[in-house]
Amino acid sequence: APPVERPVVAAVYSVPVEQQWVSRLHIVLTAAEARGEIEYRFSENISNTDFERVMRQYAEAGAHLVTGDSFALEAAARRVARDYPQTAFLMGSSGKAQAPNFAVFDNYIQEPSYLTGMIAGGLSKNGKIGMVGGYPIPEVNRLMHAFMEGAREINPKVTFSVLFIGSWFDPPKAKEAAFAMIDSGVDVLYAERFGVSDAAKERGVLAIGNVIDTQAQYPQTVVASALWDMAPTLNAAIARVKAGTFVGEDYGQYSLMKHQGSSLAPLGTFEGKVPAELMAKVREREAAILDGSFIVKVNDSEPKSSAR
Amino acid sequence: MEWLDLLGQNAFWVSLLRLATPLILGTLGVLLCERAGVLNLGIEGIMVAGAFVGWLSVYAGAPLPVGVLAAALAGAAFGALHGFLTVPLALSQHVSGLGVTMLATSLSYFSYRVLLPGQTTPPTITPFAEMRWLEGLPLIGPVLAGQTILTLMALLAVPLLVLFFKYSPLGLAIRLVGESPAAAEGQGLSVVKLRIGAIMAGSALMGVAGSFLTLAAFNAFFFNMVSGRGWICVALVVFASWRPGKALLGALIFAFFDALQLRLQQGAVQLPGLSGLPYQLYLMLPYLLSILALMLMSRRAAYPQALMKPYRKGER
Amino acid sequence: MLTLERRATISARALALAPLAAIGFTLMISTLLLALAGAPVGRAFALLIEGAFGSRFALAETLTRATPLMLTGLACALAFRARFYNIGAEGQLYLGALAAVAVGGSTLPLPAPLLFVLMLLAAASAAALWLLLSALLKNRLGVDEVVTTLLGNFIVLLFVSMMLDGPMKDPLAMGWPQSVTLAPELEFSRLMERTRAHSGLLLALMLAVLLWLMQRYSKLGLAIRAVGASPSAAKFLGLPSTRTLLITALISGALAGLAGAVEVAGRTGYVTLEMSTGYGYTGVVVAMLAALHPLRVILASIFIAAILVGADSMSRSLGVPNYLADVIVASALLSMLVASLFAHYRLRLRA
Amino acid sequence: MNALELTGISKRFGSLLANDNISLTLKSGEVLALLGENGAGKSTLVSILFGHYRADSGHIKVFGEPLPAARPDLALKAGIGMVHQHFTLADNLSVLDNILVGTEPLWHFRSQRGKACGKLTELGQRFGLQVDSNARVGSLSVGEKQRVEILKALYRGARILILDEPTAVLTPQESEALFATLREFVAGGLSVIFISHKLDEVMAIASRVVILRHGKRVAECTTQSHSAAQLAELMVGRKVLMPRLSTQAKAAVGAAPLLRLIKVSAGSGRGALQPLSLSVQAGEILAIAGVSGNGQQTLVSLLCGLIAPTSGHIQLRGQSAPKKPAQWTAAGVSRIPEDRQQQGSIGDCPLWENAIAEDLSNGAFVRFGLIRQSAAKRFTRALMEQFDVRADSIETPAKSLSGGNLQKLIVGRALSREPQLIVADQPTWGLDIGAVAYVREQLLAARERGAGILLVSEDLAEVFALADRIAVLCGGRLVACKAAAEWDLTRLGLAMMGHQEQEEAAAC
Ligand SMILES: Nc1ncnc2c1ncn2[C@@H]1O[C@H](COP(=O)(O)OP(=O)(O)OP(=O)(O)O)[C@@H](O)[C@H]1O
Ligand SMILES: Nc1ncnc2c1ncn2[C@@H]1O[C@H](COP(=O)(O)OP(=O)(O)OP(=O)(O)O)[C@@H](O)[C@H]1O
Ligand SMILES: [Mg+2]
Ligand SMILES: [Mg+2]
């Protein structure tokens, strides 16, 4: 495709933009538009049935870059990309990129997740950690596994309670699930969904954040978070669209720590409350990850409770 | 933990009651409509509207009780629409109800987006506090103390509704329009007024049920957060054979299994043969057991005879 | 006071004007909301029509949408005729889809046409048997079908989720819960090149006509109507109430199951957890808008699909939150419902 | 002052002009009878009066005050009480609730149930209309429901009482009691409009008669100046001869009975049948007399195949009787149910479907699972012609027929099948006198043809007119069974009240 000055970027989201995952894209694109770099359009909460049509409509309307989360609709999204070879597609996907114009990315933030796991493992007094998720999909599973690995590094005897509420959108339910975990003795919670940190806050246990930083809302509760920043990914893609050099490749690496696509959130209110020797181990791992000497495994299988 | 220990655990009952509250309120709402002879499938959307309007009012600065009132009014407004379509116009109660669900849901979402365009994390409010002052009550004190005032309201609404249907002239009149609108008309009662009134009152309860989610169980409004709770209420009314007491029981049973599955799934409670299953089976539990309970209860119950039958004055 | 008065004869003019009136009213509402959202109001109507029918692409999208709605609409229309309130078409659709993939995605060494037929049969029977269960519970134990079918939706969805996480998960889907993909030769052929419209539509149309003939001309049709209209009379008159109920349930379930198969083989190619956008529930709406008449189900489903697609496209063109589309669909639905009244009634103003 | 003045009332239903410019007055302290054939427009007129329907034109004055149209609540307030032809009762509520509802201010906290119950009991005693005020209405017999309807009006202290065929299902004793009530009622200056097809009742209770035909008011006269026969003629437009049984039963003595019940019991609770035995011979009419609610419903359900006996057995032509309704019809049994709306017809289906609904296994109407519509419609037209069923067309839904016309359709359907056994429950209930004559004629003709007929009726005149033998049901027991000639009205009435004559054997 020819170079463009100010590309039109269209996003198709299968969930509302408040959802943590897509909010990462939405924020970056809104900012890029504010800077005048792009023109941004989006459609949110698009059902499975409509997803393909909306993609086509954007492509048809001349969007230069189409992005969004296409997980459940891989085949359809690729079909659309094939039909519009002049348009760049950068879709959240667990699959492979596809020439010439279908690029993929995903929330590869297992590295900071591992680090938050270490903190959780070190902070849990009784070695019981709880995790509440929406559905066991790869995007969730890999972070949970990395988190568990990290926790086990610090405390090999730690046990995990795992629970899925079967919805992306039910904070009251997630909160209730977290309460149930706290009732059974869990003292650190992995907050994959909204609602979990609220339960932790009310009961005075600790929580670990995921994807976004919520410490501002829960200053006494959220110790650490694995943050995802889509800016490196999207900026790279936008730059290529502008230059007319966009091709179907895997943007997954841009979510890694070394590209600043993900990071361990600053301790903030917990500065000084996490034991120094624990933090030293964490920093050491962080450095090892950054210099490539430590690799966090990606494990997409469904995590299971190890608590009894 | 052993299964029996769970029943002795206050926290379990606190959780159960919290899960049950929106179901109790919603079920009573549907019950009121259906006792007057009108099915109200608008509940799922009316709960969304209640959750949204209640939350929005508080977010805009209103005190919490005013938020609940606003939710009730929003519910009543959609109830009035449903009532107008199904009673004087006698249109299909199914379509009108599903239409109201769509309308209430989409209007709420649309308004949310228009009013709060730039949000990426949902803004929060300070929800109702727990009623710690009830701690001292014998037996139920610790369980009630973990609830908010809305749960207390829901619980009190049950006996009130029982008494209402049993003893008050208005309750009797509402039952009559649900059984035989022709008879009601013959007794000089206005079928239209009674039915619309009952639907509006019932829908107001549904609105409050929705507001429980944003003003008590959680502190922010989310898209899709009602998550099918409304449909469950529709089912619970049948389960309850249209009786408020049994509606409470039904909601509690459903919530019981829901609270139980949350504990089984994470392995906090062990039941023989019920550990380590796919998580979906745990989520299925409340639905399956509700149907089972329905099968076991002898329920060729007398349902309101005029339910879902449109009535147009002066026609056969 | 405003009163309704029954017309002596059905007014053909009112019948024809009803959809227009409904759209007009809906537009008033949408205009208001558009103004609220600060969007240009003027072209909304044209954009809606354009989005639904204005191009080959739009038309194809509308028809693609209408296809499963037609089938679930028929499923509900038939069941409701017998006063068997099947609110579970959503779940039946998923079961049908799952069964279709179980057969169509298998490696059975059969010729494609045979496999195709087997696939449809499997979808129809899986859903039919599931609904039969509700019918039996109603018949034997008096368990209300509204409850069992409604809760059944949740159960089926969880079951599908379990299957997609377990035995039916596509090992090539990168861990995402989705089923294996159908072989391309099992898919419905395209009706138009480079669009999604597929020949599942023809299947749905054919079934609508068949169903109409059955209801109108067969003994079973009479029995279904009689059992629905007056169970006590049907019993007295010696009509086979139980058998009729069970057959109705089987056919209704089969239709909803076929909707699932048609979606899989016509649109998605595989099963995911969110493949239906409430087609089962919208089927109830379609059925009632069509006054339970199989042929009118065709029109009702196209009407609803057109509004859905057109309004969605319009909201995108005008740059307003796309939730507006759902508002438009809902108000179109309700005003259409009211408008349909005027074929049979006239409004009278009285002193 | 006139209690009521109706002026120029017209009402159209679609193409049908049900009331055509009708005017009438009702004086205080008078009983006015409204007569007319089935479908003449009587119910429509009184429905307009009460506010159920809205007249297209015309107006109404009550005690000189104009009565707003279509406002039952105002009609009630003005002192009009209405007993509808078809019950408007809620089956799931108690008798008391049905009566009490709407009589108290809605916004009170508590119903005054105790007081209401006392008042009701008192009313029941005074007017001879006893019912258990706590009983669920759905469990009552038709006769009892009728009493509840009347009590509803009396409870409100109506000053003008409209009774649309109130006695259709009452026993003579009950009717007598009702008349006593009405006399007391008018003696106190109150007024009554009375609709009935039973002319002797009209003669006994009414002073003035208005006759409608095809929606028009065609005549007015007094009961002094006219005889019942003259009224009938005015109503129907021709002389009516009420057919009576005139021949001896043809059945050979000792021949095997067509239908035999051997120590059969059935049902439970009220209306349960105690073990009873009876038989019906070919070519005879066995009438079952009794106050409704004494087991007739159970007996008929049994013989329609709706329920199974709890003990004993039933034989049809010496064979064990079939189990299902369809098999009963297939075995040559025709059934005329008491409840023409809930059982006899499918209200939403067109007349022609109703006409053949019992015969879906008959090759004449159904082939290869498909309905032969032309044959079915031809049959229906003939049936409607023969039995004088008046309706717009054969596509009219059954529910829009007048009660009488619907009854004619059902009777016609039953008789046109040339059955060997007919189970007829109140076959002439609500029919006009011409239609009654026709149905009785048809029943007698079927008997002549050799059919056996089990006739359940509370109309003793009908019982005496048609029956070869009469049996009496009381409390679910067969208390007496004798040839018709051995009965007289007094003894029959006594037997119905349960005064059993000692030597009677409880079999028949
Ligand atoms: N609600 C209605 N809709 C349409 N037609 C009606 C309605 N009510 C009555 N009719 C018609 O009006 C005519 C008069 O009916 P009406 O009930 O007044 O007769 P009737 O004199 O009471 O007859 P019957 O002796 O059989 O009770 C009938 O032809 C009937 O079909
Ligand atoms: N909806 C309707 N459409 C057309 N005609 C109707 C309708 N309803 C009633 N009718 C006509 O009105 C007439 C009387 O109806 P209605 O039911 O009031 O009579 P009825 O008093 O019940 O009869 P009966 O006294 O013989 O028991 C009938 O001829 C019937 O055909
Ligand atoms: Mg009559
Ligand atoms: Mg009448």
Side-chain angles (χ1 to χ4, degrees), chain B residues 314-316, chain D residues 13-14 16-19 36-45 53 85 164-165 197 212 390 400-405 430 432:
Chain B
E315 272 184 32
R316 288 199 184 149
Chain D
F13 291 111
L16 182 119
L17 192 54
N19 281 173
E37 289 175 281
N38 294 131
K42 308 175 295 290
S43 299
T44 304
L45 186 65
Y53 291 172
Q85 180 174 13
D164 194 354
E165 301 191 33
H197 293 293
L212 304 184
R390 295 181 200 173
S400 70
L401 285 197
S402 83
N405 279 306
D432 70 43

Side-chain angles (χ1 to χ4, degrees), chain A residues 1-294:
Chain A
V4 276
E5 182 62 25
R6 190 159 170 269
V8 175
V9 179
V12 189
Y13 303 127
S14 67
V15 289
V17 293
E18 279 85 1
Q19 287 299 312
Q20 298 97 317
W21 209 95
V22 308
S23 75
R24 304 289 85 200
L25 280 76
H26 185 63
I27 289 171
V28 173
L29 291 172
T30 312
E33 183 174 44
R35 289 195 305 273
E37 284 174 26
I38 60 165
E39 205 176 301
Y40 172 44
R41 324 228 156 101
F42 71 96
S43 295
E44 59 175 329
N45 218 358
I46 296 299
S47 73
N48 212 303
T49 328
D50 296 321
F51 204 92
E52 182 178 344
R53 179 178 70 252
V54 178
M55 281 181 75
R56 280 179 191 276
Q57 279 178 345
Y58 279 134
E60 199 71 46
H64 300 99
L65 172 65
V66 175
T67 184
D69 52 336
S70 70
F71 296 101
L73 295 134
E74 296 278 351
R78 283 156 203 266
R79 225 171 11 239
V80 179
R82 222 179 295 124
D83 286 348
Y84 297 91
Q86 292 306 306
T87 311
F89 291 86
L90 173 66
M91 304 305 287
S93 162
S94 324
K96 297 246 181 309
Q98 175 182 305
N101 62 337
F102 190 84
V104 296
F105 68 93
D106 207 346
N107 61 338
Y108 289 111
I109 60 166
Q110 61 280 3
E111 295 162 342
S113 294
Y114 186 94
L115 300 178
T116 58
M118 292 174 71
I119 296 177
L123 289 182
S124 173
K125 298 206 173 59
N126 57 11
K128 289 186 175 181
I129 296 179
M131 305 201 283
V132 178
Y135 293 96
I137 56 165
E139 283 60 35
V140 172
N141 299 347
R142 69 172 72 114
L143 306 188
M144 286 188 166
H145 279 296
F147 174 86
M148 296 198 285
E149 280 302 308
R152 282 198 205 99
E153 177 182 338
I154 300 297
N155 177 3
K157 287 214 286 283
V158 71
T159 61
F160 297 94
S161 302
V162 184
L163 184 148
F164 295 99
I165 59 169
S167 162
W168 296 128
F169 313 102
D170 199 340
K173 189 71 158 280
K175 191 174 167 187
E176 209 57 63
F179 277 141
M181 289 191 163
I182 298 168
D183 291 340
S184 70
V186 158
D187 67 352
V188 178
L189 281 164
Y190 177 77
E192 201 273 323
R193 293 284 97 205
F194 283 114
V196 178
S197 305
D198 298 81
K201 181 178 164 184
E202 281 180 35
R203 293 294 175 80
V205 304
L206 299 177
I208 301 292
N210 179 45
V211 177
I212 58 172
D213 192 355
T214 52
Q215 200 184 52
Q217 286 111 292
Y218 313 97
Q220 302 311 314
T221 306
V222 175
V223 186
S225 304
L227 301 186
W228 186 26
D229 186 353
M230 271 296 285
T233 311
L234 286 167
N235 290 343
I238 290 169
R240 277 169 216 177
V241 170
K242 279 183 173 173
T245 58
F246 187 92
V247 289
E249 60 186 312
D250 191 345
Y251 281 70
Q253 50 165 333
Y254 291 104
S255 290
L256 298 182
M257 279 173 61
K258 71 166 184 268
H259 285 99
Q260 279 90 48
S262 54
S263 58
L264 178 63
L267 283 183
T269 49
F270 276 82
E271 198 70 65
K273 293 190 202 160
V274 182
E277 70 206 90
L278 175 59
M279 272 325 283
K281 282 187 193 163
V282 172
R283 293 300 170 207
E284 190 185 324
R285 268 283 167 255
E286 188 176 24
I289 288 171
L290 284 171
D291 69 20
S293 60
F294 182 81

